[in-house]
Amino acid sequence: MNEIKPLPHIAVMKPYVPGGKLHGQSGPAVMLASNENPFGPSPAAIEAARSVAGDVHIYPDPDYRELREAIAAAKGIADASRIATAAGSDEIIHLLTQCYAGPGDEVLFTEHAFSMYRVSASAHGAAPVTAPETDMTAGVNAILGAVTPRTKILFLANPNNPTGTMLPLEDLKALQDALPPHVLFVVDGAYSEYLGPDYEAALSDLVDRRGNTVMMRTFSKIYGLAALRLGWAYMPAEIAGIWQRIRGPFNVNALAAAAGIAAIRDDAFLARSREHNADWRALMTDRLNAMGLNVPVSHANFVLPDFGSPGRAAAAHQFLKDQGILVRAIGGYGLPSKLRITVGSAGDNERLLSALAAFTASR
Ligand SMILES: Cc1ncc(COP(=O)(O)O)c(C=O)c1O
């Protein structure tokens, strides 16, 4: 018997629950559980990853200069030295928490926030604290009311996953201005591309407005590179300096870096993905509402029908699964009567909608 024990806060923490895969299914599976791009990656990104595959015996450029400059150029950011890249935005959440919060500190997020904020706070020994939401949105006052002298980081996904709701820009600015100086404000723009370039630029502007804000982004959603694990953040120079101390020197793999450069330059692919999402999100919202499933307005690439009770949502989840359709149960987010459904390809969306029409007609 050995006596190897994890740190006490690690011993009690709960792991992240991913969207999952359908195993042992006959026929094509419809995967609408993880907010992936139904078009897949940009063909230019696949080609770029292929073109470096023969060189994977060589370490990547530890500065990721070309990648950071491509991101800066595509997103209108003047200073690429304040862009950091990472193995998915999950790594950004972890690294920022590692830098700024530990035992005795609090990490704040909203009641139904993306669950990695809690996982990361717990993993670093900080206390996760939630601000209450009304109608699945936490207002500025509710968030400020949950700030204490121990709060070190406020994570806010805007739009949020899994609710699809968001605060208007004016509220983000009000929040940013009112936060006490010891709180780092991290705005998670994982779904910001679905709102368009003006909104994306406005998030970058938030970082420039004050020294207390980091904006983080991912290549996993609209850019369709989830499996490559690539995220980026735009931050004040001082925080970028701290980041450089603790990140792994090669934290982004060379295939991801090459694919990311090509993906972020492919404006046509981005626009096509955004339009498809807006069209189908509206259509799915209407048709699910017509089934009585009460879908709130979503600003992201998923919708959130309400089945009226946890039991009916669980039955719908299983009914869909039995037909090879995987959507996300979100009881773990405190929303057990709802299911989160990614906007997929036209064919997959139709399959989902007809399956749910059959479900709602029978129970
Ligand atoms: C709001 C939000 N932030 C961050 C992530 C993490 O993305 P990734 O680690 O794939 O970049 C997700 C993924 O679902 C998300 O919904």
Side-chain angles (χ1 to χ4, degrees), residues 16 35 87-91 93 114 117 157 159 161 188 190-191 216 218-221 229-231:
Y16 178 77
N35 303 340
S89 48
D90 284 347
E91 191 188 23
I93 298 167
F114 178 53
Y117 310 147
N161 168 24
D188 183 346
Y191 301 93
M216 47 178 274
T218 180
F219 280 85
S220 300
K221 307 300 171 186
R229 314 301 304 128
L230 182 58

Side-chain angles (χ1 to χ4, degrees), residues 9 12 28 33 38 43 124 145 163 194 198 207-208 222-223 232 240 243 248 263 265 363:
H9 60 268
V12 297
H124 293 94
T163 57
Y194 293 103
D198 289 350
V207 178
D208 293 332
I222 206 163
Y223 290 106
W232 62 278
W243 171 278
R265 291 178 177 154
R363 24 195 153 160

